[in-house]
Structure formats: structure tokens, C-alpha cells
Amino acid sequence: EVQLMESGGDLVNPGGSLSLSCKVSGITISNVAMSWVRQPPGKVLEWVGAIGSSGEKTYYADSVKGRFTISRDNAKNTLYLQLDSLKTEDTGMYYCVTGLDVPRVAASPGTQVTVSS
């Protein structure tokens, strides 16, 4: 059974930074592209970005490009998301997913990011 466990969410001021982690168990992620998605309050899941299986290629939504950075440590079976220059509109529940598709419903607990002064 594949399990994903996100952590690192918090309440931060606009302009602040956070580092999120996603520990994966049940599969070896070294051959799997991974993505981050988020769900703003009252909205559906939206794609944040993705990273190829080797980590050499990353892709980002226009709304976060230049502010967020995705990385991975395949030896630790862990995915990361560095969030910088945070804006209030970045508030939401953040989830990691295997592959490149945005699910209709998240299958992991997620971690809450709240950007507010």
C-alpha cells in the first residue's frame, strides 16, 4: 500500500518561507515522477508543480514559478517543496502525489499552509 505523509506546514507572514516534506512508503519513488498539488479554501485541488524521477527536470504552475522549488531525495524516498516569497493566495492544504495528474480527491493527510499577517 502506497502511503504519503506530508509535513512542514505552518502559519507564516506574507513574504515568508516554508519547507514542506513528503515521506513516501510502499513504493520506491526513484522511477516515479512526483507532484505537489494544493487546495485553497473553498476551491478544488490545483497543480503546483512536478519533478521528474531523477530530479533533473522540474515544472511549475505560473502562479508559483520563481518562488517555489521542488526537489527530491530518492535515497530517502522523500519529496520536498521550498516555498519562498509567500503570498496570501498560497494559503491552502498542500499534498504530494505520485505521477503528474491532479487527483479529484487527495489520498493523503496533507499539510496546512496559512499565509497571513
Side-chain angles (χ1 to χ4, degrees), residues 52-73:
S53 59
S54 66
E56 291 184 357
K57 293 185 177 181
T58 53
Y59 310 87
Y60 300 95
D62 287 344
S63 59
V64 307
K65 197 173 296 182
R67 300 188 299 118
F68 290 10
T69 304
I70 299 175
S71 61
R72 62 194 294 161
D73 186 335

Side-chain angles (χ1 to χ4, degrees), residues 2-90:
V2 179
Q3 292 188 331
L4 304 100
M5 182 64 67
E6 303 88 350
S7 63
D10 205 345
L11 169 64
V12 296
N13 291 325
S17 296
L18 279 176
S19 296
L20 307 184
S21 298
C22 170
K23 178 66 176 176
V24 184
S25 59
I27 62 167
T28 300
I29 69 169
S30 58
N31 295 322
V32 181
M34 299 287 296
S35 300
W36 284 96
V37 299
R38 67 186 180 187
Q39 187 165 24
K43 298 184 179 180
V44 299
L45 285 168
E46 63 183 35
W47 181 72
V48 173
I51 185 168
S53 59
S54 66
E56 291 184 357
K57 293 185 177 181
T58 53
Y59 310 87
Y60 300 95
D62 287 344
S63 59
V64 307
K65 197 173 296 182
R67 300 188 299 118
F68 290 10
T69 304
I70 299 175
S71 61
R72 62 194 294 161
D73 186 335
N74 287 342
K76 296 182 178 179
N77 235 37
T78 301
L79 181 71
Y80 304 98
L81 179 65
Q82 176 68 33
L83 300 80
D84 297 316
S85 302
L86 281 161
K87 304 176 181 180
T88 55
E89 52 263 43
D90 294 318

